[in-house]
Amino acid sequence: MDLDGDGPQRRRRGAELEAALLEAAWAELAEHGYGALTFDAVAQRASTSRSVVYRRWATKPALAEAAITHVGRRDKARPPNTGSLREDMLAILRHTNEKRIGLMALTISFLGGYFQETGTTPYDLRRLVLHDGPTVLDVVVEQAVARGEIAATLPPRVVDVAFDLFRHEALMRLGPVPDAVLVEIVDEIFLPLATGSVRSDP
């Protein structure tokens, strides 16, 4: 069935059609990996023709990059504002643990062929997903400074340390990180570095 051909079905256009194609490409990557990704498989999954996919992305790397960027931005966390730096950081990590863990696992497990073919790294791919401007972590730190929880804007390495540790745990496990580990990362590593103090309560 070709929903984008000349048949009686409603034709998808513009952003709706592109989103359907990228969701199909993401599903193919997640299920079969980069090596097995084909334009025909994406077209079949999206109920359209190969030419519809090909005229938007002329190469397999371009299609994979577009799909990963689409999913990464679709599931991006919004900056929380719970009134507490601790709770804000936990909210970010829990959202990522729930919504973006598949993206992390796929990056390390299924994209080896992509990195070899393009000569890039997971770091390069991550940059494609991020928008320019302040990150969610930057925003919650700025909020904490405004509330007086921390004295000044933190060094970038301190801002990123909780997420870096979370990413390591996720990649080592190739799956979700236990919530108790998220709490340990925030309470035992991030907050002491950010505030210069050690929490005594659990």
Side-chain angles (χ1 to χ4, degrees):
M1 179 175 63
D2 185 351
L3 297 180
D4 307 297
D6 297 323
Q9 295 89 358
R10 181 177 68 83
R11 290 170 61 90
R12 296 169 295 179
R13 298 181 184 275
E16 179 188 8
L17 174 58
E18 183 165 310
L21 296 174
L22 292 175
E23 291 287 345
W26 167 255
E28 287 293 316
L29 282 169
E31 290 181 18
H32 306 298
Y34 179 79
L37 179 68
T38 67
F39 286 87
D40 288 333
V42 172
Q44 182 176 3
R45 187 181 284 266
S47 299
T48 188
S49 66
R50 184 182 188 276
S51 63
V52 169
V53 184
Y54 187 75
R55 66 173 172 254
R56 286 167 174 78
W57 304 282
T59 66
K60 187 164 81 166
L63 175 59
E65 290 167 4
I68 292 166
T69 300
H70 167 75
V71 171
R73 292 179 176 175
R74 180 196 68 190
D75 295 337
K76 185 178 180 180
R78 295 183 178 181
N81 192 356
T82 65
S84 160
L85 177 59
R86 177 181 188 266
E87 296 304 320
D88 284 350
M89 290 299 297
L90 284 173
I92 293 170
L93 292 178
R94 286 165 175 159
H95 175 274
T96 305
N97 206 30
E98 178 182 355
K99 298 293 186 179
R100 296 169 70 91
I101 205 73
L103 181 60
M104 288 182 162
L106 184 143
T107 298
I108 200 68
S109 300
F110 283 175
L111 293 180
Y114 165 83
F115 296 125
Q116 184 176 25
E117 182 175 338
T118 60
T120 58
T121 66
Y123 179 84
D124 298 319
L125 188 61
R126 180 172 177 263
R127 299 305 305 171
L128 289 175
V129 178
L130 298 177
H131 289 289
D132 293 332
T135 67
V136 173
L137 297 177
D138 292 331
V139 173
V140 301
V141 168
E142 290 172 2
Q143 291 170 172
V145 171
R147 289 192 297 260
E149 289 186 87
I150 53 180
T153 301
L154 303 174
R157 289 292 182 185
V158 175
V159 174
D160 293 339
V161 68
F163 197 81
D164 288 344
L165 290 171
F166 165 76
R167 186 187 300 112
H168 170 77
E169 289 282 344
L171 294 181
M172 291 300 291
R173 297 170 186 272
L174 292 181
V177 179
D179 195 71
V181 175
L182 304 184
V183 173
E184 289 173 357
I185 289 171
V186 172
D187 286 353
E188 298 177 13
I189 307 297
F190 174 73
L191 285 177
L193 288 173
T195 66
S197 62
V198 179
R199 288 177 55 89
S200 60
D201 56 310

